[in-house]
Amino acid sequence: MVDVARRAGVSTGTVSAVLNRPEKVKNATRTDVELAIAELGYVRGGPAGQLSAHWRRTGFATWLFKPAVTGWYPSKAPRPARPVPILGEPWPGIPVRGRNAPGRATACWLPIASGLTPHGLRHTHKTLMDELGVPKSLTDERMGHQDGSVQARYSHVTQLMRDRLMEDLTGLWEAALDARRALGPTSPVQVLDYLLTMK
């Protein structure tokens, strides 16, 4: 149902209303939802797909993060690794799930960064803090590390350190947005488009 809602650009409550009380929904909205139901092959009362409100860390890495960065679902016996089948509209595409998903798909995701993992983002963040010259005590605090050395016992994190780090990370974020803006002033991804047009 969440997939149908995303495809139709409505809430899951609206999808539920179309299924249970169609007379209460505007004709245009009802038509959009019914079209999404048909395109996705949604079967009411059918088995739930992969999507859920909250993912465990391993499930998130395996079924969301890795497919997004590599463009492939991992192998899971008896199925081999396979491209993520999607409906190409709206961009960047909606994964197709369920029976005959590849047959209903119109495209597949391209890889973004094949070797990237959620843990790899921790390495990136730590490296950025090293480049910014962040004190080791604040780096350890942000990474969730504990240092039992004597030096660490006498080093403390101050609010000024935190404020300076926030300013530096904000500067990196704004520089990244400027670099993206140089590639193109808009984006079909709504949240990125909003960020690009803020300046």
Side-chain angles (χ1 to χ4, degrees):
M1 190 180 288
V2 174
D3 292 341
V4 171
R6 286 180 178 165
R7 179 71 172 144
V10 298
S11 68
T12 53
T14 301
V15 175
S16 178
V18 169
L19 294 171
N20 298 304
R21 299 176 305 282
E23 69 282 354
K24 301 279 186 184
V25 182
K26 292 179 184 175
N27 286 339
T29 302
R30 188 171 67 245
T31 300
D32 289 344
V33 171
E34 289 169 348
L35 182 62
I37 287 171
E39 289 173 344
L40 292 172
Y42 173 74
V43 178
R44 188 173 184 178
Q50 300 266 352
L51 201 60
S52 66
H54 182 270
W55 286 78
R56 283 182 287 198
R57 184 171 59 184
T58 53
F60 173 81
T62 302
W63 298 109
L64 288 179
F65 190 90
K66 284 187 180 178
V69 299
T70 65
W72 285 70
Y73 283 128
S75 61
K76 183 177 180 185
R79 300 189 72 187
R82 61 208 183 276
V84 177
I86 63 168
L87 294 174
E89 292 294 332
W91 193 93
I94 299 172
V96 181
R97 295 178 177 84
R99 192 172 297 143
N100 191 31
R104 292 182 285 115
T106 58
C108 292
W109 272 341
L110 291 173
I112 297 171
S114 293
L116 187 61
T117 64
H119 187 75
L121 296 178
R122 286 177 57 81
H123 287 256
T124 301
H125 190 59
K126 170 70 165 63
T127 303
L128 287 174
M129 287 192 290
D130 289 344
E131 287 180 353
L132 293 170
V134 175
K136 186 177 183 315
S137 54
L138 180 55
T139 299
D140 286 343
E141 179 185 87
R142 285 185 66 86
M143 300 298 291
H145 296 164
Q146 288 188 344
D147 185 346
S149 69
V150 172
Q151 182 177 348
R153 183 180 298 266
Y154 291 98
S155 296
H156 301 281
V157 176
T158 66
Q159 188 58 46
L160 180 60
M161 290 178 186
R162 291 189 184 104
D163 292 344
R164 189 172 298 141
L165 175 59
M166 188 58 62
E167 288 175 20
D168 290 344
L169 290 175
T170 300
L172 290 175
W173 168 249
E174 290 173 349
L177 280 178
D178 288 342
R180 171 56 182 82
R181 198 176 287 113
L183 295 174
T186 61
S187 169
V189 179
Q190 186 176 5
V191 66
L192 180 56
D193 192 59
Y194 171 76
L195 290 167
L196 290 172
T197 55
M198 280 179 62
K199 271 192 173 179

